[in-house]
Coordinates of all heavy atoms in Angstrom, one line a residue:
N209 N 14.2 172.5 113.5 CA 15.5 173.1 113.2 C 16.3 172.2 112.3 O 17.4 172.5 112.0 CB 16.3 173.5 114.5 CG 17.4 174.4 114.3 OD1 17.2 175.5 113.6 ND2 18.5 174.2 114.9
T210 N 15.7 171.2 111.8 CA 16.6 170.3 111.0 C 16.4 170.7 109.5 O 15.2 170.8 108.8 CB 16.0 168.9 111.2 OG1 16.1 168.5 112.5 CG2 16.7 167.8 110.1
V212 N 18.5 169.0 106.9 CA 18.8 167.9 106.1 C 18.8 166.7 107.2 O 19.5 166.8 108.1 CB 20.1 167.9 105.4 CG1 20.3 166.5 104.6 CG2 20.1 169.0 104.3
V225 N 29.1 149.6 95.5 CA 28.4 150.5 96.5 C 29.1 151.8 96.6 O 30.1 151.9 97.1 CB 28.3 149.8 97.9 CG1 27.5 150.7 98.9 CG2 27.7 148.4 97.8
D228 N 27.3 154.1 101.2 CA 27.0 152.8 102.0 C 26.4 153.2 103.2 O 27.0 153.4 104.3 CB 28.3 152.1 102.2 CG 28.0 150.8 102.7 OD1 27.0 150.3 102.9 OD2 29.1 150.0 103.0
N229 N 25.0 153.3 103.3 CA 24.3 153.2 104.5 C 24.7 154.4 105.5 O 24.9 154.3 106.6 CB 24.4 151.9 105.2 CG 23.4 151.6 106.3 OD1 22.2 151.9 106.0 ND2 23.7 151.2 107.4
G247 N 36.2 159.8 94.6 CA 35.6 158.5 94.5 C 35.1 158.1 95.9 O 34.8 156.9 96.1
A248 N 35.2 158.9 96.9 CA 34.7 158.7 98.2 C 33.1 158.4 98.3 O 32.7 157.8 99.3 CB 35.2 159.6 99.2
G259 N 17.8 165.3 94.6 CA 16.8 164.8 93.7 C 17.2 164.5 92.3 O 16.4 164.2 91.4
S263 N 18.0 156.9 95.1 CA 18.6 156.1 96.0 C 18.3 154.7 95.8 O 17.3 154.3 95.3 CB 18.3 156.4 97.4 OG 17.0 156.2 97.7
N267 N 16.7 156.7 103.1 CA 15.9 157.8 102.7 C 16.6 159.1 103.3 O 17.4 159.0 104.0 CB 14.5 157.8 103.1 CG 13.5 158.5 102.3 OD1 14.0 159.2 101.4 ND2 12.2 158.5 102.6
N276 N 13.0 160.7 98.0 CA 12.4 159.6 97.2 C 11.0 159.9 96.7 O 10.7 159.4 95.5 CB 12.4 158.3 98.1 CG 13.8 157.7 98.3 OD1 14.7 157.9 97.4 ND2 14.0 157.2 99.4
S294 N 28.5 175.4 85.1 CA 27.3 175.0 84.3 C 26.5 176.1 83.7 O 25.3 176.0 83.2 CB 26.3 174.0 85.1 OG 26.1 174.7 86.3
D298 N 27.6 182.0 76.4 CA 27.2 182.9 75.4 C 26.2 183.9 75.9 O 25.6 184.5 75.1 CB 26.8 182.1 74.2 CG 25.7 181.2 74.5 OD1 25.5 180.9 75.6 OD2 25.2 180.6 73.5
R316 N 9.4 188.6 86.7 CA 10.4 189.5 86.2 C 10.9 190.5 87.2 O 12.1 190.9 87.2 CB 10.0 190.0 84.9 CG 11.0 190.8 84.1 CD 10.6 191.2 82.6 NE 10.6 189.9 81.9 CZ 11.7 189.3 81.2 NH1 12.8 189.9 81.4 NH2 11.6 188.2 80.6
D325 N 20.6 193.3 93.7 CA 21.1 193.0 95.0 C 22.3 192.1 94.9 O 23.4 192.2 95.6 CB 20.2 192.5 96.0 CG 19.0 193.5 96.2 OD1 19.2 194.7 96.0 OD2 17.9 193.0 96.6
T340 N 29.7 186.0 79.9 CA 30.1 185.0 80.9 C 31.4 184.3 80.6 O 32.2 184.0 81.4 CB 29.0 184.1 81.3 OG1 27.8 184.8 81.8 CG2 29.4 183.1 82.3
L343 N 34.8 185.8 81.4 CA 35.1 186.2 82.8 C 36.3 185.3 83.4 O 36.3 184.1 83.0 CB 33.9 186.0 83.7 CG 32.6 186.8 83.5 CD1 31.5 186.4 84.3 CD2 33.0 188.4 83.8
A352 N 27.9 181.8 89.5 CA 27.3 180.4 89.6 C 26.6 180.5 91.0 O 25.5 180.0 91.3 CB 28.3 179.4 89.6
R360 N 16.3 182.1 96.7 CA 16.5 182.1 98.1 C 16.1 180.7 98.6 O 15.2 180.6 99.5 CB 15.5 183.2 98.7 CG 16.1 184.6 98.4 CD 15.3 185.7 98.9 NE 15.9 187.0 98.5 CZ 15.2 188.2 98.7 NH1 14.1 188.3 99.3 NH2 15.8 189.3 98.3
P361 N 16.8 179.8 98.4 CA 16.6 178.4 98.8 C 16.9 178.3 100.3 O 17.9 179.0 100.9 CB 17.6 177.5 98.0 CG 18.7 178.4 97.8 CD 18.1 179.8 97.6
N409 N 31.0 174.7 110.4 CA 30.6 174.5 111.7 C 30.9 173.1 112.1 O 31.2 172.8 113.3 CB 29.1 174.9 111.9 CG 28.7 176.2 111.4 OD1 28.0 176.5 110.6 ND2 29.5 177.2 112.0
T426 N 37.3 171.8 115.6 CA 38.1 171.8 116.9 C 38.1 170.5 117.6 O 39.0 170.1 118.2 CB 37.7 173.0 117.7 OG1 36.2 172.7 117.9 CG2 37.9 174.3 117.2
L428 N 37.5 167.4 116.4 CA 38.2 166.3 115.7 C 39.6 166.5 115.8 O 40.4 165.5 116.0 CB 37.8 166.4 114.2 CG 36.3 166.0 113.8 CD1 36.0 166.1 112.4 CD2 36.1 164.4 114.2
E431 N 40.5 165.3 119.2 CA 40.3 163.9 119.4 C 41.5 163.1 118.8 O 41.9 162.2 119.4 CB 39.0 163.4 118.6 CG 38.7 162.0 118.7 CD 37.5 161.7 117.8 OE1 36.7 162.5 117.5 OE2 37.4 160.4 117.3
H432 N 42.2 163.7 117.7 CA 43.1 162.9 117.1 C 44.6 163.6 117.4 O 45.6 163.2 116.8 CB 42.9 163.0 115.6 CG 41.8 162.2 115.1 ND1 41.8 160.9 114.7 CD2 40.5 162.7 114.9 CE1 40.8 160.4 114.4 NE2 39.9 161.4 114.4
F441 N 42.3 164.3 108.5 CA 42.0 163.5 107.4 C 42.8 162.3 107.1 O 42.4 161.2 106.9 CB 41.9 164.4 106.1 CG 41.6 163.7 104.7 CD1 40.3 163.6 104.5 CD2 42.6 163.2 103.9 CE1 39.9 162.9 103.3 CE2 42.1 162.6 102.8 CZ 40.9 162.5 102.5
T450 N 45.2 151.3 104.0 CA 46.4 150.5 104.1 C 46.1 149.0 104.3 O 45.0 148.6 104.6 CB 47.3 151.0 105.2 OG1 46.6 151.0 106.5 CG2 47.8 152.4 104.9

Side-chain angles (χ1 to χ4, degrees):
N209 197 43
T210 300
V212 179
V225 182
D228 190 0
N229 200 44
S263 68
N267 205 358
N276 285 330
S294 57
D298 55 348
R316 186 169 291 276
D325 293 343
T340 301
L343 296 172
R360 297 182 179 171
N409 302 128
T426 52
L428 291 174
E431 179 184 339
H432 293 272
F441 181 82
T450 54

